[in-house]
Amino acid sequence: MIKIAICGGIGSGKSTICQMFKERGVAVYDSDARAKALMNESESLRGAIIATFGEECYENGVLNRAALASKVFGSAEQLAKLNSIVPPAVKEDYLHWHEEQEGDYTILESAILFESGFDALVDKSVAILAPMPLRVMRAMERDGATKEQIEARIKAQMSDDELVARTDFAIVNFHLEDVEKDVAELNYRFKMMANEQSR
């Protein structure tokens, strides 16, 4: 069973495309959702976050995301500290999850595939791209954030050009019918790859 990663910046539509793979029976690991869950569920992870960023990051044992975000965003050093704590726990969780799945391949959905080093865990990777105005609009609608806030987040992420250079495949998430065709084609390719590998 091979491992595929899907990555892309904020508002690119990673989750929409992962849903299309799910509809084809593919198991998808949402690393962002799991990271949030693990920050609440894992005692060792909670302890490391409190030791690094302070008690105020948790309220009644639940992660205070706003408090943690205020310490991390805008500081490359603090973000690097957070990325040295959370991704290793997610990596362990993901590898355990993959072993429990069935099928030809699984998908790892990750916004920070290369920054976290998760690219080393997978066989192939797919970049999801979309025009910048569309990404900003989608993210504003989803997060209730301002245009400036979204643009600042996008600036902090890897550029589309770099993603394309580092991934094996790319999908431009603009017209739904084109995306459906791309997903169908990649699903076929990944099944063929898995069959080749299992011979």
Side-chain angles (χ1 to χ4, degrees):
M1 186 166 47
I2 63 173
K3 302 183 191 81
I4 305 297
I6 286 185
C7 62
I10 186 171
S12 60
K14 290 184 303 299
S15 299
T16 302
I17 284 163
C18 284
Q19 185 57 39
M20 292 179 182
F21 280 99
K22 277 184 192 173
E23 286 161 9
R24 287 166 169 81
V26 182
V28 176
Y29 181 94
D30 182 341
S31 62
D32 191 39
R34 283 303 296 153
K36 286 170 190 164
L38 288 167
M39 283 191 270
N40 284 316
E41 294 165 9
S42 166
E43 283 184 30
S44 60
L45 190 53
R46 189 186 309 151
I49 290 168
I50 288 170
T52 309
F53 299 104
E55 293 275 355
E56 61 274 23
C57 290
Y58 284 84
E59 275 180 28
N60 303 318
V62 178
L63 180 71
N64 180 337
R65 292 185 64 210
L68 181 59
S70 70
K71 292 173 181 287
V72 169
F73 287 109
S75 167
E77 188 187 339
Q78 294 297 89
L79 186 59
K81 281 182 188 174
L82 185 64
N83 285 340
S84 72
I85 296 169
V86 180
V90 177
K91 175 183 173 181
E92 193 180 321
D93 185 65
Y94 161 67
L95 291 172
H96 179 69
W97 170 88
H98 174 80
E99 290 306 316
E100 294 181 333
Q101 304 311 308
E102 293 177 358
D104 295 306
Y105 67 97
T106 64
I107 286 176
L108 165 67
E109 180 186 347
S110 176
I112 53 165
L113 181 69
F114 297 99
E115 297 92 327
S116 63
F118 284 8
D119 57 304
L121 306 178
V122 299
D123 299 291
K124 296 289 176 187
S125 54
V126 184
I128 309 304
L129 314 170
M132 193 62 71
L134 186 57
R135 288 176 60 188
V136 171
M137 187 183 73
R138 281 174 183 159
M140 283 170 67
E141 285 174 3
R142 185 191 66 198
D143 298 346
T146 66
K147 184 171 182 279
E148 290 72 26
Q149 286 171 322
I150 298 300
E151 285 174 345
R153 285 190 220 168
I154 288 172
K155 214 176 209 179
Q157 293 183 325
M158 195 174 280
S159 72
D160 281 358
D161 288 345
E162 193 171 351
L163 277 180
V164 169
R166 296 180 73 169
T167 51
D168 302 291
F169 305 97
I171 292 177
V172 178
N173 183 13
F174 193 50
H175 295 296
L176 205 56
E177 49 287 8
D178 293 336
V179 172
E180 285 280 7
K181 282 182 206 159
D182 291 338
V183 168
E185 185 186 323
L186 285 178
N187 180 52
Y188 178 77
R189 274 191 186 219
F190 297 148
K191 283 176 181 287
M192 293 297 103
M193 281 180 205
N195 290 335
E196 284 291 321
Q197 194 183 72
S198 64
R199 279 181 187 170

